[in-house]
Amino acid sequence: MNQLQLFLPCAAGVEDFLAQEVHGLTGLAGDDLMASRGGVFVRGSWRDAMKLNLYSRLAQRVLIELAHAPYRSENDLYAIASGVAWEIWFTPQQTFKIETTAQHSPLTSLNFATLRIKDAIADRFRAKAHGVRPSIETQRPDVRVFAHLTTDSCTLYIDTSGEPLFKRGWRQDTGDAPLKETLAAAMLAASGWWNPETGAVSAAPLYDPCCGSGTIAIEAAQIGLGIPAGALRRFGFEKLLPFQPHVWESIQNEAADQPATVSPPIFGSDVSHRMVDFAERNAERAGVAEAIQFRGGDALQRMPPEGAPQGGVIVLNPPYGERIEVGGVARIGAREQAATEDGGEFFSQLASHWKKNYAGWTAWMLTPDLQLPKRMRLKESRRVPMWNGPIECRLFRFDMVAGSARAPRP
Ligand SMILES: C[S@@+](CC[C@H](N)C(=O)[O-])C[C@H]1O[C@@H](n2cnc3c(N)ncnc32)[C@H](O)[C@@H]1O
C-alpha cells in the first residue's frame, strides 16, 4: 500500500492551500503532489491516507484511485469496474454506495451509468465469492465508491473518509446558513492567520462579529490549540480490509503526544443570542470553550474586544439574503423582503463603524455579493476567489487604517 494514487477534492479556489497543507503533513512534493482544479493529486501510502483524514482541514475527502480509463458507453464503464480488484478492499457482507459525478459526459443517464458500475462490482463479487454479493445502502453504507466521468474518461475511487471531512463531529447546533468547516479553514488560510503548510498561526487576535454557530472561531481555536480536525470522528477507512487498528492507534497516539500550544485570543459575537448559545455549545464539544469568548451583540455597535487593544484580524461571512432591521435584529430567511435583500444600509454602516472604531484591524469577508466593496464604500486590498459549494464567492480584504479607507471611484 505504499504507492497509492490519492485524490483529495476541495472547494474550488482552495487547491493551492490544500497542496501546502498536504506537503506540511506528509512531506510529499514534486511529482507526488499536484494541485488540479477542484482538488489535489497525491502519491502516498495508506498511512498518509489515514493521516490526511485525521489532520486535513481543507480536503473534503481522501479518495484512492482504483481505475482510470477511456470510455464511450455504459458497457465500457461495466468493463472498467469489472477489472478492479474490489475484493481486496471490502467483503461481500458489507454494504456499499456509488456516487457518480460528470463533466461533459456524453451519456444520457448518470443513473444508468451508476447502475452499470454497481452491476460490475456485484458480478465480480458473485464470481469470486461463490455467489455472494454486497448490497447497496444509500443512507449509511460501509463503503463508498466514487465514479467521475469526463467527456471520454472514467475514474473510479474508493473513499477512505466516510462522512465528508467538513463534518468534524462537534457542530450539532447550527443556524440557517452555517459555513462548512473546510471553507472556514480556507478563509483562515487565505487571510494568512493560519499557515496550512507549517501549521503556525498568527499572534494576532481573531474576531468574527457575525459568528452564527461559531464555525470560524472554533476552527481557528482548534488550529491554535493543535487539535486535529478529525479528532472527534470516525473514518471510512476503519471499515476497509487493509485497515490495521494498531497502525491507526499509533497515528492517533502521535497526535495526542504533540506538545500543547497556546492559541491567540479568539472572539465571536452575533446579534442572535440563540446563535451565541449554539456557538458556545459547539465550542464546548470541540474542546475549545476556554479559548474563545462569545458575546451577543449587533456588529454595528460592538466595540473591539477588550482582549485585543492593538487590533487584530476580523474574519466573517456576513448575513446575506436576510432582512436586517434597525438595531440589528436579523430575520433569517425572510426572502420576501426583497427590498433589503442586499443588506440595505447594513454594510455601509458596518464600514463606518469599523473605520471609526477598528483602526489597525484587517477584515476578511466572504460573500457571493461581488458589489460588496461598493456597498461598503471601501476599496478592498485583496480579493480571493472561493466557491461555497456551487456559489461563486470572493474573500475581500479591507484594511482599516483610520481615515484612509478609500472609497472606490464613482
Ligand atoms: C451567514 S451567517 C454566519 C454563519 C456562521 N459563519 C456559521 O458558520 O454559523 C450570518 C450571521 O450573522 C448574524 N447577524 C445578522 N445581522 C447581524 C448584526 N447586525 N450583527 C451581528 N450579527 C448579525 C446572523 O444572526 C447570522 O448568524
Side-chain angles (χ1 to χ4, degrees):
M1 296 279 166
N2 253 342
Q3 287 296 303
L4 297 172
Q5 181 66 56
L6 308 176
F7 181 63
L8 281 60
C10 65
V14 176
E15 299 88 346
D16 290 340
F17 299 121
L18 175 57
Q20 291 165 19
E21 185 187 40
V22 172
H23 175 64
L25 291 172
T26 61
L28 295 167
D31 288 347
D32 291 336
L33 179 61
M34 230 175 57
S36 164
R37 187 165 164 77
V40 170
F41 290 99
V42 178
R43 204 153 44 211
S45 63
W46 176 246
R47 194 184 169 86
D48 289 328
M50 286 192 282
K51 259 186 95 170
L52 289 166
N53 271 295
L54 176 61
Y55 287 103
S56 176
R57 293 195 170 269
L58 300 171
Q60 286 161 349
R61 299 186 164 277
V62 179
L63 303 172
I64 301 175
E65 183 183 309
L66 298 184
H68 177 75
Y71 80 101
R72 289 175 63 184
S73 67
E74 289 86 354
N75 285 345
D76 295 337
L77 300 181
Y78 183 94
I80 296 166
S82 300
V84 173
W86 301 102
E87 62 280 0
I88 67 170
W89 295 99
F90 63 106
T91 73
Q93 283 74 33
Q94 290 178 293
T95 56
F96 74 114
K97 175 184 181 178
I98 301 173
E99 287 179 43
T100 306
T101 52
Q103 255 174 345
H104 313 298
S105 166
L107 301 184
T108 44
S109 162
L110 279 195
N111 281 344
F112 188 51
T114 308
L115 191 69
R116 292 305 286 148
I117 297 169
K118 185 214 87 181
D119 287 345
I121 297 175
D123 290 349
R124 179 166 176 124
F125 270 106
R126 228 188 323 247
K128 301 259 169 199
H130 312 291
V132 192
R133 39 152 292 183
S135 359
I136 289 283
E137 156 68 54
T138 51
Q139 295 303 309
R140 312 194 62 162
D142 295 321
V143 176
R144 291 163 205 254
V145 170
F146 284 81
H148 183 65
L149 308 178
T150 64
T151 334
D152 53 6
S153 76
C154 161
T155 312
L156 296 178
Y157 304 96
I158 194 155
D159 168 52
T160 66
S161 301
E163 290 284 312
L165 293 179
F166 77 83
K167 296 193 179 174
R168 314 280 203 224
W170 51 257
R171 195 167 70 179
Q172 289 167 26
D173 294 305
T174 64
D176 282 356
L179 190 67
K180 278 198 176 126
E181 290 76 348
T182 37
L183 200 56
M187 291 166 71
L188 294 168
S191 74
W193 189 84
W194 167 48
N195 180 331
E197 184 155 6
T198 61
V201 298
S202 149
L206 188 108
Y207 177 34
D208 178 353
C210 294
C211 70
S213 52
T215 317
I216 295 170
I218 295 172
E219 209 49 34
Q222 280 207 332
I223 297 172
L225 294 174
I227 301 175
L232 292 174
R233 54 164 281 164
R234 310 292 300 260
F235 298 97
F237 60 71
E238 295 174 66
K239 293 197 170 162
L240 297 179
L241 285 173
F243 178 62
Q244 293 171 296
H246 70 277
V247 181
W248 176 223
E249 256 167 52
S250 83
I251 293 172
Q252 288 176 304
N253 291 342
E254 228 173 72
D257 290 345
Q258 294 293 318
T261 48
V262 181
S263 165
I266 297 174
F267 307 90
S269 60
D270 199 286
V271 73
S272 155
H273 288 269
R274 185 163 157 265
M275 283 299 151
V276 175
D277 237 35
F278 286 179
E280 280 173 343
R281 274 188 266 169
N282 287 333
E284 191 78 49
R285 274 187 288 268
V288 297
E290 303 294 312
I292 310 173
Q293 276 181 43
F294 286 112
R295 294 257 188 286
D298 187 338
L300 299 179
Q301 288 164 3
R302 281 220 71 92
M303 298 302 281
E306 273 173 24
Q310 310 296 327
V313 182
I314 294 173
V315 182
L316 75 158
N317 67 314
Y320 181 74
E322 297 168 16
R323 179 181 158 90
I324 302 156
E325 293 180 342
V326 180
V329 180
R331 282 212 202 130
I332 296 172
R335 291 214 153 262
E336 70 276 13
Q337 312 284 352
T340 54
E341 270 223 327
D342 63 0
E345 287 299 296
F346 175 74
F347 288 106
S348 63
Q349 287 174 13
L350 187 63
S352 308
H353 177 61
W354 282 353
K355 275 191 267 183
K356 190 159 159 225
N357 300 301
Y358 282 77
W361 286 72
T362 302
W364 294 83
M365 296 174 84
L366 183 75
T367 176
D369 178 2
L370 305 189
Q371 299 304 315
L372 186 81
K374 212 161 137 197
R375 243 183 263 297
M376 295 187 76
R377 299 192 201 102
L378 285 178
K379 176 87 185 97
E380 77 276 15
S381 57
R382 278 200 55 197
R383 52 165 65 204
V384 184
M386 251 177 211
W387 289 74
N388 187 357
I391 307 167
E392 184 178 357
C393 295
R394 294 286 179 280
L395 182 66
F396 289 109
R397 170 181 161 153
F398 302 107
D399 299 306
M400 297 300 144
V401 183
S404 75
R406 286 173 290 138
R409 287 197 192 120

